[in-house]
Each structure stands twice: as C-alpha cells, then as structure tokens.
Amino acid sequence: MRQRLDVPRAGRSAADGFVIVDKPKGVTSHDVVAAMRRLCATRKVGHGGTLDPIATGVLVIAVGRATRLLRYVSEHDKAYEAQITLGVSTETDDSEGSALQTPGCAATPDQIDRAIERFTGQIEQVPAAVSAIKVGGQRAYARVRSGEAVQLKARPVIVREFVRTSEVESLELPVDARTVTVEQFDAHVECSSGTYVRALARDVGQVLGCGGHLTRLRRTRVGAWSKPRTIAEMVAEVEAAGRVETSGLTAACTALFPQVEVSDSAAQQLSHGNTHGLDLAIQPGARAVATHEGRAVAVVRMEQQLKAELVFA
C-alpha cells in the first residue's frame, strides 16, 4: 500500500553533500526526494538510483551542488538481499503485479542453485517491462500501464555474486481463487548498475520452467555507502538542530574519487575550469577530486590531457 511521507520543513538549509536514506517500503524514490526537499529546506535535491516502491534500503540523496555528482553515484555497484518465489510469474516480475502463469514449483535446492549459477558473471539481461527505461521518450512502465505491450532489448550487466542464503521453503500461495505450491528462498546479489533483481527472479524461474517473481528486496549497499538513516531519524535532527546533517561536498567527492591536493595557484586555475599546464598525479583514464585546504575545487579526469569535468567554484 502506498504511504505518505509527512515531514516538517527545516528552519535552515542543509549543507551541500550526501545523505544516505533508508527508503521505507511503499513509497517511491521520488516521494523520498520530495520529503528530503522539505527536510533540507531546498529544492536542489536528487537521488542516485531508483528503488521500486516494494524495495527498502540504501538510497543516496544529494543536496545542493552535490547533485552534480549523481551521475557518478549511478555507476557504482550495488548489493541486495532478496526473497524470490518460484512457481508464479507476474506482469511486473514482483509481487505487486497480476499473476500471468501459475504452474507451481517442485524444484529441488540443487536444481535452484544450478539455475542461479547461470546468472552469475557477465550476462545479457532483458529488463523488466515495468521499469524506468525510456522507450521512444516515454518510461516503459507508463507504456505498460496504458495497456501497451513492451519488449525491451537485452543489455549486458555484471552479476558479481548471486547466491541462495536460506533454505528453500515450500509454501501454499493464494492466487486468485485457488492456492499454488511454490518454492521460496532468500538470496544475496551484488551487481553492476543497471541490473534488475526482479529480472533475475524471473529468469531463474524461466530456466526451471515454473516462472518466478521477486517477493521482497532490500538494497544494502551502493558503492561505499551501506549505513542509511531513517526518515524518522532525520525528522528528529530537524526538530533538535533545525536542519539535516549532510556529508559535506568534499566528503561526497572523496567518497567517489581519490583525492589530489593542489596549490593555491592550481586551485585558482581549476576554479575557472582551466587545466592548461597542470601536472597532477592521476593515472590515464582515471578521475580524481582536486582539493585545496580541505575544500573540493574540481573533479578532473586524465584522458590524453587533463580535463576538468566538474568545477565547484
């Protein structure tokens, strides 16, 4: 059921930086952003990777100038704890969608583990039709909800780890006017950006010939961030101190990239986006955050020559 996040507006604006939020179940990532705009007393708030309403867990929220870093956050690997149900497929590949096929499942744990192994490593994955991917300028989920049949193309993703973490449990699942015998288990997934855990549940079920869907999902990590704060904790911060505490802009940058300290003159030059003649210790193809006296000046990248990708003047 869809929830509503009623939060107070902070008396003081939050500083530029990241806030790692524990997204509750039943709200969208956009709902969390709307709540954080009130809690941070600024419209300049964004998130670094959508979580479906069914999911909970780590949502990286950027405030102020740190929103310019979100494109880098989305590149990072993610980790999830999932619950998968085999024997019923749904139109959304999760428990919120209507059942499509209900053959039930009697697969053994060994058969399930062998099916899971097929989806570890670099794979081609067809995203769930009800996803935020744009098709002809419109979100796929919007097209599906309007009654259109959407078939997305497979794309390469990397599943670094996909393992069963609980015993397989046989359950009687009510579907429409009858019950179906299904197999349910918990799994741990570590994967590249762009991987859909819902699609993994669907595909394991397809391999076993019984269909499958995602029943529960919690994101436990995005890149280096794994310790989220609840909305209630941030409401308490606002009530006690008048504003939400953020990581700060420099800490947000250095959590993403290695740090290179620059001189007064180099900082002044970089603050205008000028890298001509600068010799910084950065490997070819790598990014770094240039800091001066503990303050982020710019995000730079070494290509054939040094380039300033972002400037925080």
Side-chain angles (χ1 to χ4, degrees):
M1 181 179 293
R2 183 76 174 268
Q3 301 178 24
R4 180 180 175 82
L5 295 174
D6 290 316
V7 299
R9 182 175 177 82
R12 295 185 293 151
S13 297
D16 299 337
F18 287 162
V19 182
I20 313 305
V21 176
D22 192 339
K23 189 192 88 67
K25 185 178 180 179
V27 301
T28 66
S29 298
H30 181 72
D31 292 334
V32 175
V33 168
M36 292 303 296
R37 283 173 176 157
R38 290 187 59 79
L39 286 169
C40 295
T42 177
R43 294 286 303 171
K44 203 167 185 181
V45 174
H47 69 77
T50 300
L51 273 176
D52 294 331
I54 191 178
T56 65
V58 174
L59 186 65
V60 178
I61 295 291
V63 180
R65 289 181 295 168
T67 54
R68 301 174 67 193
L69 297 168
L70 286 174
R71 61 178 169 138
Y72 302 118
V73 173
S74 64
E75 297 173 358
H76 281 247
D77 283 5
K78 300 170 177 66
Y80 298 90
E81 300 301 327
Q83 184 182 71
I84 294 172
T85 298
L86 300 174
V88 173
S89 60
T90 72
E91 64 179 358
T92 58
D93 299 330
D94 62 30
S95 58
E96 295 196 328
S98 300
L100 295 177
Q101 295 178 315
T102 59
C105 184
T108 67
D110 285 346
Q111 289 173 326
I112 292 171
D113 291 342
R114 286 197 295 271
I116 286 173
E117 287 175 6
R118 294 179 58 169
F119 299 99
T120 302
Q122 185 163 336
I123 64 172
E124 293 285 324
Q125 184 185 71
V126 177
V130 182
S131 68
I133 295 172
K134 285 190 174 181
V135 180
Q138 188 177 10
R139 301 290 184 185
Y141 63 74
R143 289 181 175 273
V144 171
R145 288 167 184 165
S146 67
E148 182 179 342
V150 174
Q151 182 62 47
L152 299 175
K153 294 181 179 179
R155 56 186 187 175
V157 298
I158 300 174
V159 180
R160 305 192 190 283
E161 189 172 1
F162 183 14
V163 294
R164 181 168 57 87
T165 56
S166 74
E167 297 296 328
V168 177
E169 185 178 7
S170 293
L171 301 172
E172 294 297 316
L173 184 70
V175 180
D176 299 327
R178 64 191 185 94
T179 59
V180 178
T181 301
V182 300
E183 305 288 355
Q184 194 173 84
F185 62 93
D186 295 337
H188 175 75
V189 178
E190 296 196 16
C191 54
S192 65
S193 178
T195 305
Y196 285 83
V197 182
R198 283 183 294 162
L200 291 175
R202 174 201 67 203
D203 293 344
V204 167
Q206 286 179 349
V207 165
L208 292 168
C210 61
H213 67 277
L214 187 69
T215 316
R216 185 175 64 237
L217 184 67
R218 179 169 179 79
R219 187 155 69 193
T220 56
R221 180 179 60 80
V222 174
W225 298 282
S226 60
K227 296 180 180 178
R229 293 147 62 193
T230 66
I231 297 291
E233 287 173 331
M234 285 176 279
V235 169
E237 282 183 17
V238 167
E239 292 172 344
R243 72 173 183 176
V244 168
E245 290 298 318
T246 73
S247 66
L249 182 62
T250 299
C253 289
T254 54
L256 288 165
F257 311 112
Q259 179 178 351
V260 56
E261 186 71 15
V262 297
S263 65
D264 289 351
S265 60
Q268 178 67 22
Q269 186 175 335
L270 279 172
S271 70
H272 296 287
N274 180 9
T275 61
H276 181 70
L278 292 183
D279 183 18
L280 304 183
I282 304 172
Q283 294 296 319
R287 293 187 181 96
V289 54
T291 60
H292 177 60
E293 297 181 346
R295 177 180 60 87
V297 179
V299 173
V300 294
R301 180 182 178 91
M302 179 61 76
E303 296 175 341
Q304 293 184 350
Q305 59 185 16
L306 192 66
K307 175 184 177 182
E309 287 193 339
L310 285 181
V311 175
F312 300 109

